[in-house]
Amino acid sequence: MDRLIVLGRKQGHLTNHDLQANLPVDAMSAEEIALVVVHLEEAGVPVELDVSLSDPNPKAEPASVRTAEIIPFPDRSAAARMKRKSGSLQKSAAPRADASKASGQNGASHWAVAGSGLLVLVLLAALVVLFGV
């Protein structure tokens, strides 16, 4: 899937041929193909399908052999440039104070969610013990 996402972003879209070259489409059901297409489109990769992919008797096309594309890791100088760019966005200390207030409020809500989750877990455990499931 990651190769398809990278390829789709590089090309701007994916076609039936791209899916057939990277996936075992012949062994997949129509539902599995549809799930793959939905996943790709949720990742921002448009997929242009035609009827031949869902055709039960597709014409045999030779599958091209593809290798994994290696994406280089950014070097240290690129990482330093990114840090300098993101560092310039924080100019004043006032937003930090607002952020600490917001994190305090979010902290209380996190504890409330954690407590309710724990309560549900205890209730489920009690039901299991009570009914002997």
Side-chain angles (χ1 to χ4, degrees):
M1 288 301 293
D2 291 333
R3 284 190 312 203
L4 284 172
I5 291 171
V6 169
L7 178 65
R9 288 181 179 163
K10 184 177 178 182
Q11 294 178 351
H13 68 281
L14 290 174
T15 63
N16 286 9
H17 181 68
D18 296 326
L19 293 179
Q20 290 171 339
N22 291 292
L23 295 173
V25 174
D26 297 334
M28 296 172 69
S29 68
E31 291 83 15
E32 292 171 329
I33 295 171
L35 286 174
V36 168
V37 170
V38 167
H39 182 71
L40 289 169
E41 288 181 347
E42 286 178 349
V45 178
V47 181
E48 297 176 3
L49 295 178
D50 59 14
V51 181
S52 67
L53 192 62
S54 60
D55 186 15
N57 297 319
K59 295 174 180 63
E61 290 183 22
S64 64
V65 177
R66 296 188 54 94
T67 59
E69 181 179 345
I70 298 175
I71 301 172
F73 191 79
D75 58 351
R76 291 184 187 266
S77 61
R81 285 192 306 268
M82 290 302 293
K83 284 183 181 177
R84 276 185 266 143
K85 286 181 182 178
S86 64
S88 65
L89 294 177
Q90 299 175 351
K91 291 184 180 178
S92 67
R96 291 183 192 159
D98 293 339
S100 65
K101 288 180 185 177
S103 66
Q105 292 171 351
N106 288 341
S109 63
H110 289 296
W111 281 109
V113 170
S116 62
L118 183 61
L119 179 63
V120 168
L121 182 64
V122 169
L123 289 174
L124 286 174
L127 287 174
V128 167
V129 169
L130 183 63
F131 293 114
V133 177

